[in-house]
Amino acid sequence: MNEVNFRERILATGAPAATVLIRLMVGAVFLSEGIQKFIRPAEIGAGRFAKIGIPAPETTALMVGTFEIVCGALVVLGLLMRLAVIPLIVIMLVAITTTKVPILLREGFWEMAHEARTDYSMLLGSIFPFIVGAGRWSLDDRLHGRTAPLRSPRQP
């Protein structure tokens, strides 16, 4: 695959402008959670990772927090969207595996479903823009070569 073709596949989007709502929700949550891993390490960062048995919790929390901050900001901006959500999808899959599967095994489906509702929403909210792109109101769309000004779909 040549460089132009790769750039085209990463930046192209046919998603509507309303995709910005998904981007803002997903990006803001990841950005906030990443920051909190640094300012509340005992509760949300390394302390939490140690409690649930994540190996090398200090290093892992630093890495996860950094990815959440950087990728969360990219998602909000709609910049390199398809690349930015890949680490976020991995983070959510690990979170579900390490925290929700034990609840399923210990307490059953309904308790796990209740506890996992945010995780599943964040996972699906990250998969959606991976599939459709960042949408019309994004930096990806601008970099892809759109030159027309952004308009609401109802404007002529």
Side-chain angles (χ1 to χ4, degrees), residues 126-148:
S126 298
I127 292 171
F128 176 76
F130 180 79
I131 295 168
V132 301
R136 288 182 45 110
W137 292 350
S138 69
L139 292 178
D140 278 358
D141 195 45
R142 288 296 190 178
L143 292 172
H144 185 248
R146 264 186 24 93
T147 55

Side-chain angles (χ1 to χ4, degrees), residues 4-131:
V4 174
N5 206 4
F6 179 74
R7 180 178 180 262
E8 172 78 18
R9 294 180 87 179
I10 294 301
L11 298 178
T13 180
T19 304
V20 71
L21 299 174
I22 301 292
R23 284 196 354 249
L24 291 175
M25 186 262 317
V26 169
V29 170
F30 276 114
L31 184 59
S32 170
E33 289 296 313
I35 291 169
Q36 290 183 68
K37 282 180 178 59
F38 290 97
I39 61 175
R40 300 178 57 207
E43 299 89 7
I44 297 176
R48 172 130 173 86
F49 282 30
K51 181 180 174 184
I52 61 175
I54 300 287
E58 294 83 9
T59 304
T60 306
L62 173 67
M63 182 179 68
V64 170
T66 301
F67 271 107
E68 287 177 338
I69 292 167
V70 171
C71 294
L74 291 172
V75 168
V76 167
L77 296 171
L79 179 60
L80 302 173
M81 182 66 144
R82 286 188 169 98
L83 295 177
V85 295
I86 292 170
L88 302 178
I89 292 168
V90 171
I91 288 168
M92 292 315 305
L93 290 172
V94 171
I96 290 167
T97 302
T98 59
T99 64
K100 303 317 182 267
V101 170
I103 293 171
L104 172 66
L105 297 174
R106 190 176 56 246
E107 300 177 42
F109 175 79
W110 292 113
E111 185 62 28
M112 181 276 306
H114 172 73
E115 293 293 328
R117 66 194 183 280
T118 303
D119 294 20
Y120 289 138
S121 296
M122 294 302 293
L123 176 61
L124 295 175
S126 298
I127 292 171
F128 176 76
F130 180 79
I131 295 168

